[in-house]
């Protein structure tokens, strides 16, 4: 199959809609990462997503809808705080997990009782969702376990020949996947950290729990138990401030004839001057925005990416650290 990359605009939205309503899959931009979409009520289309990605069949998908879509068609909204979250943070990088009315097919929810729903803020994505006016289920548009794509070219590199169309809506500004929040209980609970932080949710809901996962645990958000986000080269992760550890690892790799790159916050730029660097930026938002782009750039030229942890897990750093541990840890 030939995979086409087309600029996201009116004409190509129609082309994407045609493919989708006939049960095909299309890669679409969102403000976080690119997604691989299919209509959530067409079981064969949803199965195709799992096949294309090589995704484990017990890892459910997020349903994406436009901002005027009536969520009551899909899920039960059981707590008042949900309306405040919707008002404050959507459209945007927040996914809410509800009890499902099972309109979206079991192939997407992996037979579970719940459905994850997200209203992306990406303008072009909104236009597409509006045109289709049905829930589009979409995981990140990468091969399973690989780093998530933030450009149309990244999607192409993973899925060329497997899907008909990639809608190019530019580079994703968010850079890491949405916060996944369980809203079926009295207190909301973060299942996957992201750009909508625990602190932001607390400011609206009063309190917010964070689900903790240990290796091998049966977890409520199945995606977090798998190896994830890995670039194709070797990786290492050092504690924040461990300059000596990083330099030793760097030199060792050089001595082996390898090509090390240090991926870090721009505050380390002087410290590591003269070395191969993948600089992520200064603020947590910049670092999140650049993380996958730098990993995917790094895997092309490095034999080893040496990453450095954030100094803490506050705010957006929680989401960054979650990704860093899985991609480089
Ligand atoms: O930003 C994002 O969320 C991107 C863009 C494309 O929207 N999507 C994304 O999808 O990251 P994916 O499939 O790569 O990750 C979805 C995460 C997984 O960890 C999955 O286990 C979890 O959401 N999830 C989906 N449905 C769930 C459910 N019903 N209950 C709990 N967790 C769920
Ligand atoms: Mg993913």
């Amino acid at each position: 199959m030939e995979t086409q990359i087309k600029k996201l605009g009116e004409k190509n939205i129609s082309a994407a809609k045609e493919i989708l309503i006939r049960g095909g899959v299309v890669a679409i931009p969102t403000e976080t990462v690119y997604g691989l979409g299919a209509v959530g009520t067409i079981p064969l289309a949803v199965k195709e997503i799992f096949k294309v990605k090589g995704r484990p069949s017990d890892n459910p998908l997020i349903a994406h809808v436009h901002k005027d879509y009536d969520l009551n068609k899909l899920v039960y909204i059981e707590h008042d705080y949900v309306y405040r979250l919707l008002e404050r943070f959507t459209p945007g990088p927040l996914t809410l997990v509800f009890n499902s009315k099972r309109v979206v097919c079991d192939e997407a929810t992996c037979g579970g009782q719940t459905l994850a729903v997200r209203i992306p803020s990406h303008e072009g994505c909104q236009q597409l969702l509006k045109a289709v006016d049905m829930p589009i289920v979409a995981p990140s548009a990468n091969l399973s376990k690989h780093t998530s794509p933030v450009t149309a070219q990244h999607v192409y590199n993973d899925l060329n020949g497997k899907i008909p169309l990639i809608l190019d809506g530019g580079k994703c500004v968010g850079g890491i996947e949405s916060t996944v929040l369980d809203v079926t209980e009295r207190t909301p609970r973060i299942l996957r950290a992201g750009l909508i932080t625990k602190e932001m949710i607390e400011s609206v809901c009063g309190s917010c729990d964070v689900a903790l996962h240990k290796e091998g645990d049966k977890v409520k958000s199945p995606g977090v138990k798998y190896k994830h986000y890995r670039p194709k080269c070797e990786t290492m992760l050092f504690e924040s401030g461990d300059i000596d550890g990083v330099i030793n690892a760097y030199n060792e790799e050089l001595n082996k004839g390898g090509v090390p790159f240090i991926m870090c916050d721009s505050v380390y730029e002087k410290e590591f001057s003269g070395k191969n660097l993948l600089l992520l930026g200064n603020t947590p938002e910049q670092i999140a925005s650049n993380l996958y782009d730098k990993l995917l750039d790094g895997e092309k030229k490095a034999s080893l990416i040496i990453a450095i942890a954030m100094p803490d897990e506050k705010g957006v750093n929680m989401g960054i650290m979650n990704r860093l541990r899985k991609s480089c840890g």
Side-chain angles (χ1 to χ4, degrees), residues 28 30 32-36 53 55 59-62 64 93 95 97-98 108-109 114-116 118 120 138-142 148 176-180 191-192 220-224 228-229:
I28 56 176
T30 80
T32 58
V33 301
Y34 274 73
L36 181 60
K53 276 190 61 116
R55 184 179 177 96
N59 192 9
L61 306 180
I62 297 171
H64 300 68
T95 295
V97 175
F98 299 95
T109 58
T114 57
L115 176 69
R118 167 157 135 71
S140 49
N142 50 285
S148 303
I176 59 172
E177 300 84 348
S178 62
T179 304
V180 178
L191 304 178
R192 179 178 71 184
K220 199 158 180 185
S221 193
V224 299
H228 245 132
Y229 315 122

Side-chain angles (χ1 to χ4, degrees), residues 167-309:
L167 284 181
D168 185 350
K171 185 173 179 239
C172 306
V173 288
I176 59 172
E177 300 84 348
S178 62
T179 304
V180 178
L181 188 71
D182 180 356
V183 295
T184 61
E185 311 278 346
R186 200 181 287 270
T187 304
R189 195 156 65 104
I190 293 177
L191 304 178
R192 179 178 71 184
L195 292 170
I196 304 298
T197 65
K198 178 175 192 287
E199 293 81 354
M200 289 159 77
I201 295 164
E202 279 169 347
S203 76
V204 169
C205 301
S207 55
C208 173
D209 295 335
V210 180
L212 291 175
H213 311 288
K214 290 202 293 302
E215 205 69 42
D217 268 4
K218 194 157 169 47
V219 292
K220 199 158 180 185
S221 193
V224 299
K225 82 184 177 195
Y226 301 106
K227 273 217 158 102
H228 245 132
Y229 315 122
R230 312 232 33 127
K232 289 174 181 156
C233 58
E234 293 296 314
T235 56
M236 289 176 102
L237 177 62
F238 283 89
E239 286 305 321
S240 168
D242 186 1
I243 309 289
D244 291 346
V246 169
I247 291 179
N248 285 339
Y250 189 95
N251 289 335
E252 233 172 73
E253 185 69 9
L254 274 185
N255 292 338
K256 281 197 301 196
V259 184
F261 271 76
I262 303 169
M263 186 177 77
C264 59
D265 188 318
S266 301
V267 298
Y268 294 104
E269 191 173 358
K270 278 228 175 74
E271 207 87 54
F272 298 132
S273 79
K275 298 193 162 49
N276 299 325
L277 297 181
L278 298 163
L279 290 176
L280 293 170
N282 292 299
T283 65
E285 286 75 16
Q286 282 172 8
I287 292 170
S289 177
N290 290 322
L291 183 63
Y292 293 154
D293 195 34
K294 294 292 174 185
L295 283 170
L296 290 167
D297 180 32
E299 74 175 13
K300 288 190 289 192
K301 48 197 190 191
S303 58
L304 172 68
I305 294 177
I306 304 168
I308 307 182

Side-chain angles (χ1 to χ4, degrees), residues 46-59:
V46 176
K47 279 191 180 158
E48 178 70 8
I49 291 179
F50 283 84
K51 198 171 115 203
V52 166
K53 276 190 61 116
R55 184 179 177 96
S57 60
D58 62 347
N59 192 9

